[in-house]
CSV table of all heavy atoms in Angstrom, one decimal:
chain,number,residue,atom,x,y,z
B,1541,GLU,N,6.0,56.8,10.7
B,1541,GLU,CA,7.4,56.6,11.1
B,1541,GLU,C,7.9,55.3,10.7
B,1541,GLU,O,9.1,55.0,10.9
B,1541,GLU,CB,7.4,56.6,12.6
B,1541,GLU,CG,7.1,58.0,13.3
B,1541,GLU,CD,6.6,57.8,14.7
B,1541,GLU,OE1,7.3,57.0,15.4
B,1541,GLU,OE2,5.6,58.4,15.1
B,1542,LYS,N,7.1,54.4,10.1
B,1542,LYS,CA,7.5,53.1,9.7
B,1542,LYS,C,8.1,52.3,10.9
B,1542,LYS,O,9.1,51.7,10.8
B,1542,LYS,CB,8.5,53.1,8.5
B,1542,LYS,CG,8.0,53.9,7.3
B,1542,LYS,CD,6.9,53.1,6.5
B,1542,LYS,CE,6.5,54.0,5.3
B,1542,LYS,NZ,5.2,53.7,4.8
B,1543,LYS,N,7.4,52.4,12.0
B,1543,LYS,CA,7.8,51.7,13.2
B,1543,LYS,C,6.7,50.9,13.8
B,1543,LYS,O,5.5,51.3,13.8
B,1543,LYS,CB,8.3,52.7,14.3
B,1543,LYS,CG,9.7,53.3,14.0
B,1543,LYS,CD,10.8,52.3,14.4
B,1543,LYS,CE,12.1,52.4,13.7
B,1543,LYS,NZ,12.8,51.2,13.4
B,1544,CYS,N,7.0,49.8,14.4
B,1544,CYS,CA,6.0,49.0,15.1
B,1544,CYS,C,6.3,49.1,16.6
B,1544,CYS,O,7.3,48.5,17.1
B,1544,CYS,CB,6.0,47.5,14.6
B,1544,CYS,SG,5.0,46.5,15.6
B,1545,PRO,N,5.5,49.9,17.3
B,1545,PRO,CA,5.8,50.2,18.7
B,1545,PRO,C,5.9,48.9,19.6
B,1545,PRO,O,6.7,48.9,20.5
B,1545,PRO,CB,4.7,51.1,19.2
B,1545,PRO,CG,4.1,51.6,17.9
B,1545,PRO,CD,4.3,50.6,16.9
B,1546,ALA,N,5.1,47.9,19.2
B,1546,ALA,CA,5.2,46.6,20.0
B,1546,ALA,C,6.3,45.7,19.5
B,1546,ALA,O,6.5,44.6,20.1
B,1546,ALA,CB,3.8,45.9,19.9
B,1547,LEU,N,7.1,46.1,18.5
B,1547,LEU,CA,8.2,45.3,18.0
B,1547,LEU,C,7.7,43.9,17.5
B,1547,LEU,O,8.4,42.9,17.8
B,1547,LEU,CB,9.3,45.2,19.0
B,1547,LEU,CG,9.8,46.5,19.6
B,1547,LEU,CD1,10.9,46.2,20.7
B,1547,LEU,CD2,10.4,47.4,18.5
B,1548,VAL,N,6.6,43.9,16.8
B,1548,VAL,CA,6.1,42.7,16.3
B,1548,VAL,C,6.3,42.6,14.8
B,1548,VAL,O,6.8,41.5,14.2
B,1548,VAL,CB,4.6,42.5,16.6
B,1548,VAL,CG1,4.0,41.3,15.9
B,1548,VAL,CG2,4.4,42.3,18.1
B,1549,CYS,N,6.0,43.6,14.1
B,1549,CYS,CA,6.0,43.6,12.6
B,1549,CYS,C,7.5,43.6,12.1
B,1549,CYS,O,8.1,44.7,12.1
B,1549,CYS,CB,5.2,44.8,12.0
B,1549,CYS,SG,3.5,44.8,12.6
B,1550,LYS,N,7.9,42.5,11.7
B,1550,LYS,CA,9.4,42.3,11.4
B,1550,LYS,C,10.0,43.3,10.4
B,1550,LYS,O,11.0,43.8,10.6
B,1550,LYS,CB,9.6,40.9,10.9
B,1550,LYS,CG,9.8,40.0,12.1
B,1550,LYS,CD,10.3,38.6,11.6
B,1550,LYS,CE,10.4,37.7,12.9
B,1550,LYS,NZ,10.3,36.3,12.5
B,1551,PRO,N,9.3,43.6,9.3
B,1551,PRO,CA,9.9,44.5,8.3
B,1551,PRO,C,10.2,45.9,8.9
B,1551,PRO,O,10.9,46.6,8.3
B,1551,PRO,CB,8.9,44.5,7.2
B,1551,PRO,CG,8.1,43.3,7.3
B,1551,PRO,CD,8.0,43.0,8.8
B,1552,LEU,N,9.5,46.2,10.0
B,1552,LEU,CA,9.7,47.5,10.6
B,1552,LEU,C,10.7,47.5,11.7
B,1552,LEU,O,10.9,48.5,12.4
B,1552,LEU,CB,8.3,48.0,11.1
B,1552,LEU,CG,7.2,48.1,10.1
B,1552,LEU,CD1,5.9,48.5,10.8
B,1552,LEU,CD2,7.6,49.0,9.0
B,1553,LEU,N,11.4,46.4,11.9
B,1553,LEU,CA,12.3,46.4,13.0
B,1553,LEU,C,13.8,46.6,12.5
B,1553,LEU,O,14.1,46.5,11.4
B,1553,LEU,CB,12.3,45.0,13.7
B,1553,LEU,CG,11.0,44.5,14.2
B,1553,LEU,CD1,11.2,43.1,14.9
B,1553,LEU,CD2,10.5,45.5,15.3
B,1554,THR,N,14.6,47.1,13.5
B,1554,THR,CA,16.0,47.2,13.2
B,1554,THR,C,16.8,46.4,14.3
B,1554,THR,O,16.4,46.5,15.5
B,1554,THR,CB,16.5,48.6,13.3
B,1554,THR,OG1,15.6,49.4,12.4
B,1554,THR,CG2,17.9,48.7,12.8
B,1555,PHE,N,17.7,45.5,13.9
B,1555,PHE,CA,18.5,44.8,14.9
B,1555,PHE,C,19.9,45.4,14.9
B,1555,PHE,O,20.4,45.8,13.8
B,1555,PHE,CB,18.6,43.3,14.5
B,1555,PHE,CG,17.4,42.6,14.7
B,1555,PHE,CD1,16.3,42.6,13.8
B,1555,PHE,CD2,17.2,41.8,15.9
B,1555,PHE,CE1,15.2,41.9,14.0
B,1555,PHE,CE2,16.0,41.1,16.1
B,1555,PHE,CZ,15.0,41.2,15.2
Side-chain angles (χ1 to χ4, degrees):
Chain B
E1541 297 156 42
K1542 307 285 181 204
K1543 281 281 156 217
C1544 172
L1547 305 179
V1548 171
C1549 302
K1550 276 191 182 156
L1552 302 178
L1553 300 182
T1554 309
F1555 286 84

